[in-house]
Amino acid sequence: MKPNIQLWDRDYKILGVCNLSPHSLTQIELEHFPTRKKANRRSKMLFDFGLFNRFPALCLHEKGRAEYIYITSRKGMKVLKEWDIEGLYTPNISYGNNSRYKDHINHFLWINQFRIIIEKTFHTDNVVSVKFLYAKQMIGHALDKCSLRPDAMFILEHKKTKRKLLHFLEIDMGTEYIKKKTTSMSYSFSDKLRKYINYFDGEYYKYDFNELFKVDFQGFRLMVVTTSIARAESIVSLAKQQEAAFLWATEFHNLKSEHFNEKIWLTIHEKRSGLIQTKK
C-alpha cells in the first residue's frame, strides 16, 4: 500500500518512533524539525493521509493548554512494514480526560523526553555513544521471571575502549508510596526496588543482555526520574537503606535542559553525579 503522499526518510523515522510511544507535537518538533510551524504542518499532513492518529491532551509541555499527541495508525504501520521496519506494535492507547489518563500519557511523554535529550546529548559526542530501547523493544526472560518491566533501557558505550554500561529507566509519576504504610497496601516503590536488587545480586541481567549485546556486563544503573527533588531524595534514602548503590535519581525539571551530563543525579554517596564521569 502506497499512500498518495511523498514520504521522506524523516517521515518513516517519525512514524516508527510514534509506533513505539505516543509523542507530543513539541517532541516531534524537538527531534525532527527546526520550527514548530513545520512540525505541525508535516504532522497534520501525515494525520490527514491516515498515517497518524492524534488527540488533544494537557501534557507536560503546556501550561493549561492542550496540544496534539500523535501515535502511528494501523495504516501507518502498513507503510512502515513496506519500509522493512520490524517489531511493529498495535496501538493500544485509550483517550480520556481524567487525571489517571493524563498521568498515563505524561508517563509516555517523559520516557520520550529522556530518550530525545540523551540522544541529542551524545549524538555529536566523540567519546560516548548511546543505544536506547523502549520497554516494547526489550526481551528479557529473567526480567519477566523477576516480575520487572522497566520503562526503557539504554547502553552507553565508550567509543575508544568499547566499554558498555547498562542502564534501566524508571519514570516515577509519584503515584506510588515509597514505602508501604500498612500491610494491606498492594504495592510501593520499595517493592519494585527489591525486585531490582534481586535482579542485580543474582546477575540475571547477564542472562538477558550479555549475548544480545555481545558484552559481559558488570552490573547496571537504575535511573529514576521523578516529580520533585524531595521525592528523589526520599527514593535515594530508601536505596541507601537497602544498599542499592546502583540507583540514581533526579527530578523531571532536569530533563528540560540539554545539559544532560551535568551533575543532576543523586546517589547514595550523598553527592551529585553526571551520567559520564569526566576527568578534571
Side-chain angles (χ1 to χ4, degrees):
M1 181 205 75
K2 292 189 180 297
N4 187 25
I5 180 177
Q6 176 66 54
L7 295 178
W8 307 100
D9 285 352
R10 178 176 61 188
D11 297 320
Y12 288 108
K13 291 176 182 177
I14 295 170
L15 290 170
V17 76
C18 289
N19 178 246
L20 292 167
S21 176
H23 281 60
S24 68
L25 178 62
T26 297
Q27 291 177 333
I28 293 173
E29 174 198 353
L30 177 63
E31 189 168 17
H32 299 284
F33 293 93
T35 67
R36 189 175 187 84
K37 183 178 180 180
K38 290 184 177 181
N40 184 50
R41 183 170 57 200
R42 194 63 183 177
S43 298
K44 186 178 184 303
M45 185 178 294
L46 295 173
F47 167 74
D48 289 340
F49 277 90
L51 305 182
F52 264 152
N53 291 325
R54 74 178 188 180
F55 54 94
L58 290 169
C59 58
L60 57 99
H61 306 291
E62 301 290 335
K63 294 183 178 180
R65 186 178 61 172
E67 70 168 318
Y68 280 116
I69 309 298
Y70 287 89
I71 186 167
T72 306
S73 66
R74 292 177 184 274
K75 184 177 179 180
M77 290 171 61
K78 291 180 181 179
V79 171
L80 288 174
K81 286 180 180 178
E82 290 186 354
W83 204 50
D84 294 328
I85 299 294
E86 298 180 354
L88 297 175
Y89 305 93
T90 302
N92 61 352
I93 304 300
S94 59
Y95 316 145
N97 293 314
N98 58 39
S99 60
R100 184 176 180 181
Y101 152 81
K102 181 180 177 182
D103 285 342
H104 183 57
I105 293 300
N106 277 338
H107 186 261
F108 281 112
L109 297 182
W110 279 120
I111 299 171
N112 300 339
Q113 195 76 358
F114 188 98
R115 176 189 64 79
I116 291 168
I117 292 178
I118 194 174
E119 288 181 348
K120 278 183 170 290
T121 299
F122 296 112
H123 177 68
T124 58
D125 193 282
N126 294 323
V127 179
V128 175
S129 64
V130 60
K131 181 177 180 61
F132 186 98
L133 296 177
Y134 284 94
K136 290 180 179 179
Q137 299 172 290
M138 295 167 55
I139 301 175
H141 298 295
L143 277 172
D144 293 337
K145 289 183 178 179
C146 292
S147 300
L148 275 175
R149 179 52 57 192
D151 291 322
M153 64 172 285
F154 61 97
I155 295 169
L156 297 180
E157 180 179 4
H158 192 286
K159 292 180 179 179
K160 185 175 181 180
T161 66
K162 301 302 180 183
R163 183 189 178 201
K164 297 179 180 179
L165 297 175
L166 177 64
H167 300 74
F168 295 107
L169 174 65
E170 287 285 348
I171 299 295
D172 174 62
M173 300 299 295
T175 55
E176 298 171 342
Y177 283 104
I178 294 177
K179 285 184 177 181
K180 289 181 180 179
K181 292 191 174 182
T182 65
T183 56
S184 62
M185 291 177 62
S186 58
Y187 200 66
S188 67
F189 190 90
S190 179
D191 295 323
K192 181 184 295 184
L193 180 57
R194 279 196 290 270
K195 291 178 181 179
Y196 274 107
I197 292 171
N198 179 42
Y199 190 67
F200 186 96
D201 290 345
E203 297 188 335
Y204 297 119
Y205 56 89
K206 291 177 178 281
Y207 298 103
D208 283 338
F209 301 113
N210 275 15
E211 183 176 350
L212 179 63
F213 293 105
K214 310 301 181 187
V215 64
D216 182 20
F217 287 116
Q218 299 297 319
F220 60 80
R221 291 173 181 165
L222 173 60
M223 315 305 288
V224 180
V225 189
T226 190
T227 52
S228 67
I229 192 63
R231 186 169 173 88
E233 289 172 347
S234 295
I235 288 173
V236 169
S237 177
L238 173 69
K240 188 172 184 178
Q241 293 171 22
Q242 299 191 17
E243 299 181 347
F246 56 79
L247 184 146
W248 294 27
T250 192
E251 60 176 324
F252 290 146
H253 177 76
N254 288 325
L255 298 190
K256 296 181 181 179
S257 167
E258 291 191 17
H259 302 291
F260 193 65
N261 196 37
E262 292 183 357
K263 294 184 177 181
I264 63 172
W265 297 95
L266 301 175
T267 70
I268 69 168
H269 304 296
E270 299 181 354
K271 64 179 182 179
R272 288 178 176 263
S273 295
L275 200 56
I276 299 298
Q277 305 300 316
T278 55
K279 294 182 179 179
K280 298 285 186 179

